[in-house]
Every structure is written in C-alpha cells, then in structure tokens.
Amino acid sequence: MKKTIKFLAYSDELSNVTQFYINIIIQALKDIQSDIIITDNVKNINKNDIVFVITLKAALKLWIKHPHQKIMIWIQGALPEELKFAEKGLWNFCKRITYNYLEKIVLKKSLLTFFVSQSMVEHQKEKWHYNSNQYIIMPCFNTTLEEQSFFYPHKYENLSFVFAGGIGPWHCLEQCVILFSKIKKEKPQATLTILSKEKDAARKILSKYNVDAKIDFFDLKDLNSELAKYKYGFLLREELLLNHVATPTKLSTYLSNGIIPIFSNVIGDFKNMFSESKYKIQGDVSNLDLIIENIYKFEQEPVEIQEILKDYKNIFLKYYNIEIYSKEIVKKLGPLLQ
C-alpha cells in the first residue's frame, strides 16, 4: 500500500532555490512509490498524515491544529540566531524565544531532518544534544554544471567581478565594494557587476564608497547566460554562527558557470569541499588586503579552461550530485513509509 506524504509549503516560503531543493525530495519520494500532495493550507492536513515542512513557522501552525502530527523538516539555517539581526524590540525577542523552543521540539520529534551542512549538525549536537541518526545532509544548491559557460570568450582574461544575490548585512556587500575599490585603484580595467533585486540598497553602498558598478537582476532562467561572462564571484561572510552553518546557494551558481569564488573561511563545510581544488580564493573578511594579495597571486597564472572545468565537475560529482542525495533520501525514507 502506498503511503501519502503531505507537503505543507506557503507561497512566501518558496523561491527558485527552495523549489529546486524540494523537487529533489519529491522525486525521491516518487521513487519509493509514495503519493505526494502539496498544499498551502493546514486545513488540508489530517492528523494521521506524515507532513513535510520547510520552516519552523509551518511546523508551529501544523502543531497548533494537530499537536501530535508526524513531520519531516528541512532546517535551512539557524533561525533563532538569525533573528538577532532582525528588528529589536519585545516582539522580536518573543519570536526568538518561541522559535528557539520550537527548534528543540522539532529536532526531537522529526521523523527525518534535512540539514544543509555538517556544521549545522554539529551546532545542533552542541546546542540541543541532538543525537538522532535520522537525518540527511544536503547542501543548498539550485543548478547543474553549465559547461558552455566555461568557454565564454575572454572570460578568464578579464579582471571581472560579480556579486549575486541578497544584500542583507551578513552578505557583506559593503566589504566586497571596499575590496573592489582598492583593486580598481591599481587595476583600472577591473569591473564589478551586482546582480540583485535590491538595486536601491546596492546603489547606496556604491555611492558611499564612490564606486562605479553595473547593477542588474535576472530571473533564474536567464541568470546562467549572464554569469558566464565573469571570472570572479564574491561570497564573503563575517565570523557569525549563521554563516558558519550555512551553505549559500550562490556558490553552486558561481561554480556551475566557471566563476572562481572569493569566499570566507568561516563557511564551515566549504573548507572540506574545496580541500582538493586549485581554483579558489579564500580569505578573512577582516583582512581584505590579504584577499587582494591572493587575487593578484592568482592572476599571475593563466586559467586552463579544461582544468578548471575538471576541477568544478569533480565538486559537482561529490557535493552537488542530485543522484547521491536521491539515493540517500530513498534509503532513509523507505523504512519509515512501510
């Protein structure tokens, strides 16, 4: 007899990134002959259903209706810790307390938990003494390798930089602009492009440091053809817990298009991921001059296209491999749904 899984996801929880991730899980469920019903209304959930949720908020709404509902959850980040960066005040404090407690209960009751990094698992072990083996580690990613992007004309001959994504304080756009401004003074041919919906916020930062840059935004379907043009991609982060446990999606987007990432050492899982890679620039956001020095050293050697393609292809085979995660999901979920 087939088991039915209800998928509770609200419109404000879904994006191109989350949809890609969710589709991997849905396909794996279909592989074990489970029926999938996707809903955005908790009224469509029965108390005996097994429900997959992607936020603590959805789990809370579910348990208000059915306190003993069986769930599976995707833990995307350290939400209670992220709320420290939100607006101050009593309401935010109450939210932090609520989500902190909810996180503890969810981890205890979830039939299967999806984490985005080994660092996140270690964080939960330390914070809540999490000791379940019913979890899967699958990093955030939203693309497959775009080999044609590696061969974009003159891609690796130009000193071109791109910043793609959100412009929250933890995304460190300001530090990226400062870093670029220093390079621009010594290398006038250097260019910077910011690809973000938050164009006004980007303009303010550029104006603050008197830096010229192209600002634009592309839907996911058009993004790869734009990213193919650039050599380096910024992914700098400060030393914060929410950054240590994250696996930012933009890294997979950069790598898939042959963009050499300039990223911070604080992103825990990326250290292991790049342990065998030659095509990377790592650094500490508190020492931008050292990052610039590393960029200049890297610039001294030509990029061999076939070599960088092989390098990043290996990362996708090991780290961003849909087939590997699908098999792991089937292995873990199969016994739960019998």
Side-chain angles (χ1 to χ4, degrees):
M1 180 180 176
K2 285 187 177 182
K3 287 277 188 176
T4 299
I5 304 291
K6 298 283 181 73
F7 216 119
L8 179 63
Y10 299 97
S11 58
D12 61 347
E13 297 174 346
L14 297 174
S15 66
N16 288 326
V17 175
T18 54
Q19 194 63 59
F20 186 91
Y21 198 99
I22 289 167
N23 285 344
I24 296 173
I25 298 169
I26 289 175
Q27 185 55 54
L29 288 168
K30 289 179 178 178
D31 289 344
I32 49 178
Q33 280 75 53
S34 291
D35 287 327
I36 313 296
I37 298 177
I38 302 174
T39 181
D40 62 357
N41 194 331
V42 73
K43 293 180 180 179
N44 296 327
I45 307 293
N46 299 316
K47 65 179 181 179
N48 294 322
D49 290 334
I50 297 175
V51 185
F52 187 89
V53 295
I54 62 175
T55 64
L56 293 174
K57 180 181 176 181
L60 178 60
K61 289 183 177 181
L62 197 55
W63 279 338
I64 288 173
K65 183 184 180 189
H66 299 305
H68 302 291
Q69 191 84 56
K70 292 180 179 179
I71 70 162
M72 299 181 290
I73 190 167
W74 174 22
I75 302 291
Q76 302 176 49
L79 179 59
E81 287 75 15
E82 286 180 24
L83 287 171
K84 292 179 183 179
F85 292 88
E87 296 178 8
K88 306 300 180 184
L90 181 60
W91 173 240
N92 185 57
F93 175 77
C94 292
K95 281 173 67 176
R96 281 170 52 196
I97 296 298
T98 300
Y99 282 123
N100 211 43
Y101 177 73
L102 186 59
E103 180 184 69
K104 179 181 180 180
I105 301 303
V106 162
L107 289 171
K108 184 177 180 180
K109 291 191 172 185
S110 177
L111 296 177
L112 184 65
T113 302
F114 290 78
F115 293 110
V116 298
S117 69
Q118 181 62 44
S119 298
M120 174 63 82
V121 175
E122 296 305 320
H123 163 63
Q124 300 298 356
K125 286 181 178 179
E126 182 177 343
K127 182 179 179 180
W128 298 122
H129 305 291
Y130 180 73
N131 61 2
S132 173
N133 63 359
Q134 283 301 107
Y135 67 85
I136 290 172
I137 298 172
M138 185 166 74
C140 294
F141 66 110
N142 67 341
T143 186
T144 54
L145 202 67
E146 299 287 332
E147 293 194 20
Q148 68 275 14
S149 293
F150 289 72
F151 297 92
Y152 189 87
H154 311 295
K155 176 186 183 75
Y156 298 112
E157 298 169 19
N158 300 320
L159 193 56
S160 57
F161 298 84
V162 65
F163 176 101
I167 304 180
W170 57 91
H171 291 127
C172 295
L173 175 59
E174 193 158 349
Q175 289 90 332
C176 295
V177 169
I178 294 170
L179 186 155
F180 175 76
S181 69
K182 293 184 176 186
I183 292 176
K184 185 73 172 178
K185 287 177 182 178
E186 297 184 22
K187 310 283 186 181
Q189 75 276 20
T191 63
L192 172 63
T193 299
I194 298 171
L195 303 176
S196 177
K197 282 184 177 180
E198 302 164 78
K199 294 182 178 181
D200 289 340
R203 289 190 188 99
K204 286 181 181 179
I205 293 173
L206 290 170
S207 177
K208 180 179 178 180
Y209 295 99
N210 195 29
V211 170
D212 289 325
K214 176 184 174 183
I215 303 174
D216 211 333
F217 175 76
F218 293 86
D219 290 328
L220 188 62
K221 63 182 176 65
D222 301 315
L223 184 59
N224 288 332
S225 59
E226 173 65 21
L227 288 175
K229 303 172 184 177
Y230 304 103
K231 182 174 183 178
Y232 296 107
F234 285 120
L235 209 175
L236 298 180
R237 295 289 190 269
E238 293 180 322
E239 179 64 79
L240 300 169
L241 173 67
L242 61 93
N243 290 327
H244 180 67
V245 303
T247 51
T249 305
K250 75 169 69 178
L251 181 64
S252 70
T253 310
Y254 286 162
L255 297 183
S256 72
N257 288 285
I259 294 174
I260 299 158
I262 302 169
F263 67 97
S264 300
N265 294 321
V266 301
I267 304 173
D269 280 31
F270 286 179
K271 295 177 187 177
N272 292 331
M273 175 181 162
F274 274 95
S275 61
E276 299 176 3
S277 176
K278 172 184 174 182
Y279 292 96
K280 63 187 177 186
I281 295 173
Q282 292 175 265
D284 189 331
V285 75
S286 64
N287 192 345
L288 298 180
D289 288 338
L290 182 58
I291 296 177
I292 293 171
E293 184 180 323
N294 290 336
I295 292 171
Y296 288 166
K297 285 180 181 177
F298 192 92
E299 279 290 296
Q300 292 174 8
E301 298 291 334
V303 173
E304 298 293 338
I305 297 178
Q306 291 297 342
E307 189 176 307
I308 190 173
L309 176 58
K310 180 181 177 182
D311 192 321
Y312 289 179
K313 187 178 288 187
N314 188 50
I315 291 174
F316 267 80
L317 284 171
K318 291 181 178 179
Y319 200 75
Y320 295 127
N321 190 322
I322 294 174
E323 185 177 350
I324 288 176
Y325 298 118
S326 295
K327 287 180 179 178
E328 183 67 13
I329 294 167
V330 169
K331 179 182 175 183
K332 289 281 188 179
L333 272 180
L336 294 175
L337 302 179
Q338 289 179 356

